[in-house]
Short mmCIF file of all heavy atoms in Angstrom, two decimals:
data_model
loop_
_atom_site.label_atom_id
_atom_site.label_comp_id
_atom_site.label_asym_id
_atom_site.label_seq_id
_atom_site.Cartn_x
_atom_site.Cartn_y
_atom_site.Cartn_z
N ALA A 1 -40.10 -72.84 -26.34
CA ALA A 1 -40.07 -71.53 -25.69
C ALA A 1 -41.48 -70.97 -25.53
O ALA A 1 -41.78 -70.28 -24.56
CB ALA A 1 -39.21 -70.56 -26.51
N ALA A 2 -42.36 -71.30 -26.48
CA ALA A 2 -43.74 -70.82 -26.42
C ALA A 2 -44.48 -71.37 -25.21
O ALA A 2 -45.41 -70.73 -24.69
CB ALA A 2 -44.49 -71.21 -27.70
N GLN A 3 -44.08 -72.55 -24.75
CA GLN A 3 -44.71 -73.14 -23.58
C GLN A 3 -44.48 -72.29 -22.33
O GLN A 3 -45.21 -72.38 -21.34
CB GLN A 3 -44.18 -74.55 -23.32
CG GLN A 3 -44.22 -75.47 -24.53
CD GLN A 3 -45.61 -75.60 -25.13
OE1 GLN A 3 -46.55 -75.98 -24.46
NE2 GLN A 3 -45.73 -75.24 -26.40
N LEU A 4 -43.45 -71.44 -22.40
CA LEU A 4 -43.12 -70.57 -21.27
C LEU A 4 -43.90 -69.26 -21.30
O LEU A 4 -43.83 -68.48 -20.36
CB LEU A 4 -41.62 -70.27 -21.27
CG LEU A 4 -40.70 -71.50 -21.23
CD1 LEU A 4 -39.24 -71.08 -21.39
CD2 LEU A 4 -40.89 -72.29 -19.95
N GLY A 5 -44.62 -69.04 -22.41
CA GLY A 5 -45.44 -67.84 -22.52
C GLY A 5 -44.95 -66.89 -23.60
O GLY A 5 -43.74 -66.82 -23.86
N PHE A 6 -45.88 -66.17 -24.22
CA PHE A 6 -45.51 -65.26 -25.31
C PHE A 6 -44.65 -64.10 -24.82
O PHE A 6 -43.92 -63.47 -25.62
CB PHE A 6 -46.76 -64.72 -26.01
CG PHE A 6 -47.50 -63.67 -25.21
CD1 PHE A 6 -47.24 -62.33 -25.40
CD2 PHE A 6 -48.43 -64.04 -24.26
CE1 PHE A 6 -47.91 -61.37 -24.65
CE2 PHE A 6 -49.11 -63.09 -23.51
CZ PHE A 6 -48.84 -61.75 -23.71
N ASP A 7 -44.70 -63.81 -23.51
CA ASP A 7 -43.91 -62.70 -22.98
C ASP A 7 -42.68 -63.19 -22.22
O ASP A 7 -42.00 -62.40 -21.54
CB ASP A 7 -44.76 -61.84 -22.05
CG ASP A 7 -45.37 -62.63 -20.88
OD1 ASP A 7 -45.31 -63.88 -20.93
OD2 ASP A 7 -45.89 -62.00 -19.94
N SER A 8 -42.35 -64.48 -22.35
CA SER A 8 -41.16 -65.01 -21.68
C SER A 8 -39.90 -64.52 -22.40
O SER A 8 -39.90 -64.33 -23.62
CB SER A 8 -41.18 -66.54 -21.66
OG SER A 8 -41.03 -67.06 -22.97
N PRO A 9 -38.81 -64.31 -21.68
CA PRO A 9 -37.56 -63.88 -22.32
C PRO A 9 -37.09 -64.85 -23.38
O PRO A 9 -36.55 -64.43 -24.41
CB PRO A 9 -36.57 -63.81 -21.14
CG PRO A 9 -37.42 -63.65 -19.93
CD PRO A 9 -38.68 -64.41 -20.20
N GLN A 10 -37.30 -66.15 -23.14
CA GLN A 10 -36.84 -67.16 -24.10
C GLN A 10 -37.59 -67.03 -25.42
O GLN A 10 -36.98 -67.05 -26.50
CB GLN A 10 -37.03 -68.57 -23.53
CG GLN A 10 -36.17 -68.89 -22.33
CD GLN A 10 -36.84 -68.55 -21.01
OE1 GLN A 10 -37.67 -67.64 -20.92
NE2 GLN A 10 -36.50 -69.29 -19.97
N PHE A 11 -38.91 -66.91 -25.35
CA PHE A 11 -39.70 -66.81 -26.58
C PHE A 11 -39.38 -65.52 -27.32
O PHE A 11 -39.19 -65.52 -28.54
CB PHE A 11 -41.19 -66.90 -26.27
CG PHE A 11 -42.06 -66.90 -27.50
CD1 PHE A 11 -42.06 -67.99 -28.36
CD2 PHE A 11 -42.84 -65.81 -27.81
CE1 PHE A 11 -42.84 -68.00 -29.51
CE2 PHE A 11 -43.64 -65.80 -28.95
CZ PHE A 11 -43.63 -66.91 -29.80
N LYS A 12 -39.31 -64.43 -26.61
CA LYS A 12 -39.02 -63.14 -27.24
C LYS A 12 -37.66 -63.17 -27.94
O LYS A 12 -37.51 -62.66 -29.05
CB LYS A 12 -39.03 -62.02 -26.19
CG LYS A 12 -40.41 -61.65 -25.68
CD LYS A 12 -40.31 -60.51 -24.67
CE LYS A 12 -41.68 -60.06 -24.19
NZ LYS A 12 -41.57 -58.95 -23.19
N SER A 13 -36.68 -63.78 -27.29
CA SER A 13 -35.34 -63.85 -27.86
C SER A 13 -35.33 -64.68 -29.14
O SER A 13 -34.75 -64.27 -30.15
CB SER A 13 -34.36 -64.44 -26.85
OG SER A 13 -33.09 -64.63 -27.43
N LEU A 14 -35.98 -65.85 -29.12
CA LEU A 14 -35.96 -66.71 -30.30
C LEU A 14 -36.76 -66.12 -31.45
O LEU A 14 -36.42 -66.31 -32.62
CB LEU A 14 -36.48 -68.11 -29.95
CG LEU A 14 -35.59 -68.92 -28.98
CD1 LEU A 14 -36.04 -70.38 -28.96
CD2 LEU A 14 -34.12 -68.83 -29.37
N VAL A 15 -37.84 -65.40 -31.14
CA VAL A 15 -38.59 -64.71 -32.20
C VAL A 15 -37.69 -63.69 -32.88
O VAL A 15 -37.67 -63.57 -34.11
CB VAL A 15 -39.84 -64.02 -31.62
CG1 VAL A 15 -40.46 -63.07 -32.65
CG2 VAL A 15 -40.87 -65.06 -31.20
N GLU A 16 -36.92 -62.97 -32.09
CA GLU A 16 -35.99 -61.98 -32.66
C GLU A 16 -34.91 -62.67 -33.48
O GLU A 16 -34.52 -62.19 -34.54
CB GLU A 16 -35.37 -61.17 -31.51
CG GLU A 16 -34.66 -59.90 -31.96
CD GLU A 16 -33.22 -60.14 -32.34
OE1 GLU A 16 -32.61 -61.08 -31.78
OE2 GLU A 16 -32.69 -59.42 -33.21
N VAL A 17 -34.44 -63.81 -33.00
CA VAL A 17 -33.39 -64.56 -33.70
C VAL A 17 -33.85 -65.02 -35.08
O VAL A 17 -33.15 -64.84 -36.07
CB VAL A 17 -32.94 -65.78 -32.85
CG1 VAL A 17 -32.18 -66.80 -33.71
CG2 VAL A 17 -32.09 -65.33 -31.68
N ILE A 18 -35.05 -65.59 -35.16
CA ILE A 18 -35.50 -66.15 -36.44
C ILE A 18 -35.93 -65.08 -37.43
O ILE A 18 -35.99 -65.33 -38.64
CB ILE A 18 -36.65 -67.15 -36.26
CG1 ILE A 18 -37.93 -66.46 -35.78
CG2 ILE A 18 -36.26 -68.29 -35.34
CD1 ILE A 18 -39.18 -67.28 -35.96
N SER A 19 -36.24 -63.87 -36.94
CA SER A 19 -36.77 -62.83 -37.82
C SER A 19 -35.75 -61.76 -38.21
O SER A 19 -36.09 -60.80 -38.89
CB SER A 19 -37.98 -62.16 -37.17
OG SER A 19 -37.62 -61.55 -35.94
N ARG A 20 -34.52 -61.92 -37.77
CA ARG A 20 -33.49 -60.93 -38.12
C ARG A 20 -33.39 -60.76 -39.63
O ARG A 20 -33.60 -61.70 -40.39
CB ARG A 20 -32.13 -61.36 -37.55
CG ARG A 20 -32.03 -61.22 -36.04
CD ARG A 20 -30.73 -61.78 -35.51
NE ARG A 20 -30.68 -61.69 -34.05
CZ ARG A 20 -29.79 -62.29 -33.29
NH1 ARG A 20 -28.85 -63.05 -33.85
NH2 ARG A 20 -29.83 -62.15 -31.97
N LYS A 21 -33.02 -59.57 -40.04
CA LYS A 21 -32.93 -59.27 -41.47
C LYS A 21 -31.86 -60.10 -42.16
O LYS A 21 -31.89 -60.25 -43.39
CB LYS A 21 -32.67 -57.77 -41.66
CG LYS A 21 -33.83 -56.89 -41.20
CD LYS A 21 -33.51 -55.42 -41.34
CE LYS A 21 -34.70 -54.55 -40.92
NZ LYS A 21 -35.07 -54.74 -39.52
N THR A 22 -30.91 -60.63 -41.40
CA THR A 22 -29.85 -61.46 -41.99
C THR A 22 -30.31 -62.90 -42.25
O THR A 22 -29.62 -63.65 -42.93
CB THR A 22 -28.63 -61.49 -41.05
OG1 THR A 22 -29.04 -61.90 -39.74
CG2 THR A 22 -27.99 -60.11 -40.97
N VAL A 23 -31.46 -63.28 -41.70
CA VAL A 23 -31.98 -64.64 -41.89
C VAL A 23 -32.61 -64.73 -43.28
O VAL A 23 -33.41 -63.88 -43.68
CB VAL A 23 -33.04 -64.98 -40.83
CG1 VAL A 23 -33.65 -66.35 -41.09
CG2 VAL A 23 -32.40 -64.94 -39.44
N GLU A 24 -32.25 -65.77 -44.02
CA GLU A 24 -32.79 -65.94 -45.37
C GLU A 24 -34.29 -66.19 -45.31
O GLU A 24 -34.78 -66.93 -44.44
CB GLU A 24 -32.09 -67.09 -46.08
CG GLU A 24 -30.61 -66.83 -46.34
CD GLU A 24 -29.96 -67.97 -47.10
OE1 GLU A 24 -30.63 -69.01 -47.31
OE2 GLU A 24 -28.79 -67.83 -47.49
N ALA A 25 -35.01 -65.58 -46.25
CA ALA A 25 -36.48 -65.66 -46.26
C ALA A 25 -37.00 -67.10 -46.29
O ALA A 25 -37.93 -67.43 -45.53
CB ALA A 25 -37.03 -64.86 -47.44
N PRO A 26 -36.46 -68.00 -47.13
CA PRO A 26 -36.98 -69.38 -47.14
C PRO A 26 -36.83 -70.09 -45.79
O PRO A 26 -37.72 -70.84 -45.38
CB PRO A 26 -36.13 -70.07 -48.22
CG PRO A 26 -35.69 -68.96 -49.12
CD PRO A 26 -35.46 -67.79 -48.19
N SER A 27 -35.71 -69.84 -45.11
CA SER A 27 -35.49 -70.46 -43.79
C SER A 27 -36.50 -69.94 -42.78
O SER A 27 -37.09 -70.71 -42.01
CB SER A 27 -34.07 -70.17 -43.30
OG SER A 27 -33.11 -70.73 -44.17
N LEU A 28 -36.71 -68.62 -42.78
CA LEU A 28 -37.68 -68.02 -41.87
C LEU A 28 -39.08 -68.54 -42.15
O LEU A 28 -39.82 -68.89 -41.23
CB LEU A 28 -37.63 -66.50 -41.99
CG LEU A 28 -38.74 -65.71 -41.29
CD1 LEU A 28 -38.86 -66.09 -39.83
CD2 LEU A 28 -38.47 -64.21 -41.43
N ALA A 29 -39.44 -68.60 -43.42
CA ALA A 29 -40.79 -69.06 -43.79
C ALA A 29 -41.01 -70.50 -43.34
O ALA A 29 -42.07 -70.84 -42.81
CB ALA A 29 -40.99 -68.94 -45.30
N ARG A 30 -40.02 -71.35 -43.52
CA ARG A 30 -40.15 -72.76 -43.14
C ARG A 30 -40.36 -72.90 -41.64
O ARG A 30 -41.25 -73.64 -41.19
CB ARG A 30 -38.92 -73.54 -43.58
CG ARG A 30 -39.01 -75.03 -43.27
CD ARG A 30 -37.79 -75.80 -43.73
NE ARG A 30 -36.59 -75.40 -43.01
CZ ARG A 30 -35.63 -74.65 -43.50
NH1 ARG A 30 -35.72 -74.18 -44.74
NH2 ARG A 30 -34.56 -74.33 -42.78
N VAL A 31 -39.54 -72.20 -40.86
CA VAL A 31 -39.67 -72.28 -39.40
C VAL A 31 -41.02 -71.75 -38.94
O VAL A 31 -41.69 -72.35 -38.09
CB VAL A 31 -38.52 -71.51 -38.71
CG1 VAL A 31 -38.77 -71.39 -37.21
CG2 VAL A 31 -37.19 -72.20 -38.97
N ALA A 32 -41.44 -70.62 -39.51
CA ALA A 32 -42.71 -70.01 -39.10
C ALA A 32 -43.89 -70.92 -39.43
O ALA A 32 -44.79 -71.11 -38.61
CB ALA A 32 -42.89 -68.66 -39.79
N VAL A 33 -43.89 -71.49 -40.63
CA VAL A 33 -44.99 -72.37 -41.04
C VAL A 33 -45.07 -73.58 -40.12
O VAL A 33 -46.14 -73.95 -39.62
CB VAL A 33 -44.83 -72.81 -42.51
CG1 VAL A 33 -45.83 -73.93 -42.85
CG2 VAL A 33 -45.03 -71.63 -43.45
N GLU A 34 -43.94 -74.23 -39.88
CA GLU A 34 -43.92 -75.41 -39.02
C GLU A 34 -44.40 -75.06 -37.60
O GLU A 34 -45.16 -75.81 -36.99
CB GLU A 34 -42.51 -75.99 -38.96
CG GLU A 34 -42.06 -76.63 -40.28
CD GLU A 34 -40.61 -77.07 -40.23
OE1 GLU A 34 -39.93 -76.79 -39.19
OE2 GLU A 34 -40.13 -77.69 -41.21
N PHE A 35 -43.96 -73.91 -37.12
CA PHE A 35 -44.33 -73.48 -35.77
C PHE A 35 -45.82 -73.18 -35.69
O PHE A 35 -46.51 -73.61 -34.75
CB PHE A 35 -43.52 -72.24 -35.38
CG PHE A 35 -43.92 -71.63 -34.07
CD1 PHE A 35 -43.90 -72.37 -32.89
CD2 PHE A 35 -44.32 -70.30 -34.01
CE1 PHE A 35 -44.27 -71.81 -31.68
CE2 PHE A 35 -44.69 -69.73 -32.80
CZ PHE A 35 -44.67 -70.47 -31.63
N PHE A 36 -46.37 -72.47 -36.67
CA PHE A 36 -47.79 -72.13 -36.65
C PHE A 36 -48.67 -73.36 -36.76
O PHE A 36 -49.69 -73.48 -36.07
CB PHE A 36 -48.12 -71.16 -37.79
CG PHE A 36 -47.48 -69.80 -37.64
CD1 PHE A 36 -47.42 -68.93 -38.72
CD2 PHE A 36 -46.93 -69.40 -36.44
CE1 PHE A 36 -46.85 -67.67 -38.60
CE2 PHE A 36 -46.34 -68.15 -36.30
CZ PHE A 36 -46.29 -67.28 -37.38
N VAL A 37 -48.29 -74.30 -37.61
CA VAL A 37 -49.06 -75.54 -37.74
C VAL A 37 -49.03 -76.31 -36.43
O VAL A 37 -50.06 -76.85 -35.98
CB VAL A 37 -48.51 -76.41 -38.90
CG1 VAL A 37 -49.13 -77.81 -38.87
CG2 VAL A 37 -48.79 -75.74 -40.24
N GLN A 38 -47.86 -76.36 -35.80
CA GLN A 38 -47.73 -77.05 -34.52
C GLN A 38 -48.60 -76.38 -33.46
O GLN A 38 -49.28 -77.04 -32.66
CB GLN A 38 -46.26 -77.03 -34.09
CG GLN A 38 -45.89 -78.07 -33.04
CD GLN A 38 -44.39 -78.16 -32.83
OE1 GLN A 38 -43.61 -77.41 -33.41
NE2 GLN A 38 -43.98 -79.08 -31.97
N LEU A 39 -48.61 -75.05 -33.46
CA LEU A 39 -49.44 -74.31 -32.50
C LEU A 39 -50.91 -74.57 -32.72
O LEU A 39 -51.68 -74.72 -31.77
CB LEU A 39 -49.18 -72.80 -32.66
CG LEU A 39 -48.10 -72.15 -31.80
CD1 LEU A 39 -48.08 -70.66 -32.07
CD2 LEU A 39 -48.32 -72.42 -30.33
N TRP A 40 -51.32 -74.60 -33.99
CA TRP A 40 -52.75 -74.76 -34.30
C TRP A 40 -53.26 -76.15 -33.94
O TRP A 40 -54.46 -76.37 -33.86
CB TRP A 40 -53.01 -74.44 -35.77
CG TRP A 40 -54.06 -73.38 -35.89
CD1 TRP A 40 -55.35 -73.54 -36.33
CD2 TRP A 40 -53.93 -72.00 -35.55
NE1 TRP A 40 -56.02 -72.34 -36.27
CE2 TRP A 40 -55.17 -71.38 -35.79
CE3 TRP A 40 -52.90 -71.21 -35.04
CZ2 TRP A 40 -55.41 -70.03 -35.56
CZ3 TRP A 40 -53.12 -69.88 -34.81
CH2 TRP A 40 -54.35 -69.30 -35.07
N ASN A 41 -52.34 -77.08 -33.73
CA ASN A 41 -52.73 -78.43 -33.31
C ASN A 41 -52.53 -78.66 -31.82
O ASN A 41 -52.79 -79.74 -31.32
CB ASN A 41 -51.92 -79.47 -34.09
CG ASN A 41 -52.38 -79.61 -35.52
OD1 ASN A 41 -53.39 -80.24 -35.80
ND2 ASN A 41 -51.65 -78.99 -36.44
N ALA A 42 -52.04 -77.62 -31.13
CA ALA A 42 -51.75 -77.76 -29.70
C ALA A 42 -52.95 -77.33 -28.86
O ALA A 42 -53.82 -76.61 -29.33
CB ALA A 42 -50.53 -76.92 -29.34
N GLU A 43 -52.95 -77.77 -27.62
CA GLU A 43 -54.05 -77.46 -26.70
C GLU A 43 -53.78 -76.18 -25.93
O GLU A 43 -53.81 -76.15 -24.70
CB GLU A 43 -54.25 -78.64 -25.74
CG GLU A 43 -54.67 -79.93 -26.41
CD GLU A 43 -56.05 -79.81 -27.06
OE1 GLU A 43 -56.89 -79.08 -26.52
OE2 GLU A 43 -56.26 -80.44 -28.11
N ILE A 44 -53.46 -75.11 -26.66
CA ILE A 44 -53.21 -73.82 -25.98
C ILE A 44 -53.95 -72.71 -26.74
O ILE A 44 -53.34 -71.73 -27.16
CB ILE A 44 -51.71 -73.51 -25.90
CG1 ILE A 44 -51.02 -73.71 -27.26
CG2 ILE A 44 -51.04 -74.31 -24.82
CD1 ILE A 44 -49.58 -73.28 -27.26
N PRO A 45 -55.26 -72.86 -26.96
CA PRO A 45 -56.00 -71.89 -27.77
C PRO A 45 -55.96 -70.47 -27.23
O PRO A 45 -55.98 -69.50 -27.98
CB PRO A 45 -57.43 -72.45 -27.76
CG PRO A 45 -57.51 -73.29 -26.53
CD PRO A 45 -56.14 -73.88 -26.38
N GLY A 46 -55.89 -70.31 -25.90
CA GLY A 46 -55.93 -68.97 -25.33
C GLY A 46 -54.72 -68.13 -25.71
O GLY A 46 -54.82 -66.94 -25.96
N ALA A 47 -53.55 -68.78 -25.74
CA ALA A 47 -52.30 -68.05 -26.02
C ALA A 47 -51.90 -68.13 -27.49
O ALA A 47 -50.98 -67.43 -27.92
CB ALA A 47 -51.19 -68.60 -25.15
#
């Protein structure tokens, strides 16, 4: 979804999905860490 842009409806929706208060903290942390590491190794430094 991030490939579509930080302001794309898909990315915004999934960010809201993973961060809902009903989502367990360990699950959220795991997804966020994996996503951030993947981003930091990707060729999209501007976004």
